[in-house]
Amino acid sequence: MTIAINARFLTQNMSGVQRFAREVTTAMAALSEAGQAPRLRLLAPKGAPLTFAGLPVETLGRLSGQAWEQLELPRAAGRDLLLNLGNTAPLLRGARQAVVIHDAGAFDTPASYSLAFRSWYRALHLALPRLGAQIITVSDFSRSRLSRRLGVDADRIGVIAEGGEHALRDPADEAVLAKHGLSPRSYALAVGTRAGHKNLGALRDAVALLASRGLTLAVAGAADASVFRNAGDVDAAKALGRVSDAELRALYENALCLIFPSRYEGFGLPPLEAMWCHCPVLAASAGAVPEVCGDAALWFDAEGPSGPERTPAAALARLLDEPGLSDHLRAAGRARAETFSWPAAARRLLDLVEPR
């Protein structure tokens, strides 16, 4: 069997979905090279690099984006099994394909997406299993949500966990601290965008608590700190913007903790990356994040805390005040993280994908 991989992700900006696609493809390529996986082909629109993960990239067609994927990719895949790693897949391909759908966010968190985006994703995700495409996702939580939203038996949806060891690939770029006026253990770190389900606004009280102790919240990935201005000082939260992998590693390794308030995650990559970097994790007990972190994190309520002890600020105060807790979470988190890896994800994915 030859597997043709939809490599449109090579022309897209990096997010969690593209990270997954790149890392799992790299791991599958290593297995293929070792004779432990089928031959792989990478198919991409023009503008993609000529090689990736040691494999040649077949750039083809005249279109780009969704048009390329829907109209030109199906024919290019020929008789091979087509593997789509980034939520979308060509309807014209029918049954001889598998698609990794990372979550049911287009149904469950519609306010986070434009009308056009969520309408297309809803229509596509409903159609693909009815056309016979194999559906795979990245957590039991996402399997449950997709089963309900797509009307597909959960037993028909395969699950693979992601990896996080890529966080250690590049040497930490410590210059990011001086660049933003940070010093080790002087800040808590948040990683996310202003999308509604990321729930960064829930950290206002935590920002105020940090400020009262001469500390700050550093936010990687958010466009600005406006969502925190009700906490008082405009500068209490420091927006870092987009950071490189090397900078993110340094931020994780030097932070008091990662604080992750997301209400909805199909997997939850930042907490896993943080645990790989010995960074304590404080997280909302929502979505798939409890599957990822297990007992190696401090938990708070994503919204409508059930009591004062269940707020982000309360979890943060406990971390700051309880002797030995930070060191315990660093050790427990790293031990937990080491149970996830990209080679394991690749092997599981290959086990799930069968000739149709």
Side-chain angles (χ1 to χ4, degrees), residues 65-96:
Q66 289 281 354
W68 174 85
E69 184 174 275
Q70 292 298 319
L71 300 176
E72 294 181 325
L73 175 61
R75 178 177 296 179
R79 297 177 59 84
D80 299 333
L81 175 70
L82 179 62
L83 178 57
N84 307 275
L85 300 170
N87 286 323
T88 60
L91 295 170
L92 293 176
R93 185 64 179 180
R96 192 166 175 75

Side-chain angles (χ1 to χ4, degrees), residues 13-355:
N13 292 330
M14 182 73 79
S15 72
V17 171
Q18 286 73 35
R19 170 71 70 187
F20 169 88
R22 285 173 172 268
E23 298 295 341
V24 82
T25 297
T26 299
M28 285 192 296
L31 292 172
S32 183
E33 176 68 19
Q36 300 174 24
R39 173 177 174 264
L40 304 177
R41 297 171 60 205
L42 300 185
L43 308 179
K46 290 181 178 179
L50 297 180
T51 62
F52 179 75
L55 298 173
V57 177
E58 302 175 38
T59 57
L60 54 100
R62 294 184 296 176
L63 302 174
S64 62
Q66 289 281 354
W68 174 85
E69 184 174 275
Q70 292 298 319
L71 300 176
E72 294 181 325
L73 175 61
R75 178 177 296 179
R79 297 177 59 84
D80 299 333
L81 175 70
L82 179 62
L83 178 57
N84 307 275
L85 300 170
N87 286 323
T88 60
L91 295 170
L92 293 176
R93 185 64 179 180
R96 192 166 175 75
Q97 63 179 332
V99 55
V100 179
I101 301 178
H102 291 249
D103 57 51
F107 298 91
D108 289 344
T109 62
S112 295
Y113 308 100
S114 69
L115 176 61
F117 180 95
R118 66 177 183 261
S119 297
W120 166 239
Y121 264 50
R122 287 177 177 182
L124 185 66
H125 291 171
L126 286 166
L128 285 168
R130 286 156 179 78
L131 293 172
Q134 183 180 6
I135 307 299
I136 299 168
T137 192
V138 294
S139 67
D140 289 334
F141 168 77
S142 284
R143 174 165 61 182
S144 174
R145 298 308 305 158
L146 287 168
S147 173
R148 178 176 178 181
R149 291 296 194 174
L150 304 185
V152 175
D153 193 311
D155 291 341
R156 291 182 53 199
I157 302 175
V159 175
I160 62 170
E162 302 188 31
E165 68 272 27
H166 60 271
L168 303 181
R169 180 179 300 135
D170 296 332
D173 183 357
E174 303 283 345
V176 70
L177 300 181
K179 176 181 176 182
H180 294 287
L182 302 171
S183 58
R185 308 297 183 258
S186 70
Y187 64 95
L189 179 67
V191 176
T193 68
R194 288 185 295 167
H197 67 278
K198 296 298 183 181
N199 200 29
L200 292 180
L203 299 183
R204 290 189 183 94
D205 289 346
V207 172
L209 173 66
L210 288 165
S212 73
R213 302 195 186 197
L215 305 170
T216 191
L217 180 73
V219 187
D224 63 54
S226 62
V227 293
F228 302 112
R229 287 179 181 159
N230 289 341
D233 186 356
V234 172
D235 296 324
K238 190 179 294 287
L240 309 182
R242 187 177 294 274
V243 297
S244 69
D245 287 354
E247 289 174 326
L248 186 57
R249 177 178 179 178
L251 291 166
Y252 282 137
E253 290 180 345
N254 288 282
L256 290 165
C257 64
L258 172 74
I259 186 163
F260 196 70
S262 179
R263 291 190 295 258
Y264 188 95
E265 293 290 325
F267 183 77
L269 199 52
L272 183 57
E273 293 173 336
M275 292 192 299
W276 270 104
C277 294
H278 288 105
C279 179
V281 173
L282 282 56
S285 54
V289 180
E291 290 181 50
V292 176
C293 297
D295 295 330
L298 286 185
W299 299 103
F300 53 84
D301 292 337
E303 51 189 339
S306 55
E309 75 284 356
R310 292 288 297 178
T311 66
L316 185 57
R318 183 183 169 195
L319 180 76
L320 294 172
D321 296 338
E322 187 173 318
L325 181 57
S326 179
D327 289 341
H328 168 75
L329 289 173
R330 292 179 195 280
R334 179 56 183 264
R336 176 75 178 181
E338 290 177 354
T339 66
F340 297 83
S341 74
W342 289 115
R347 286 190 290 270
R348 172 63 174 159
L349 180 57
L350 290 166
D351 287 343
L352 287 171
V353 176
E354 299 177 354

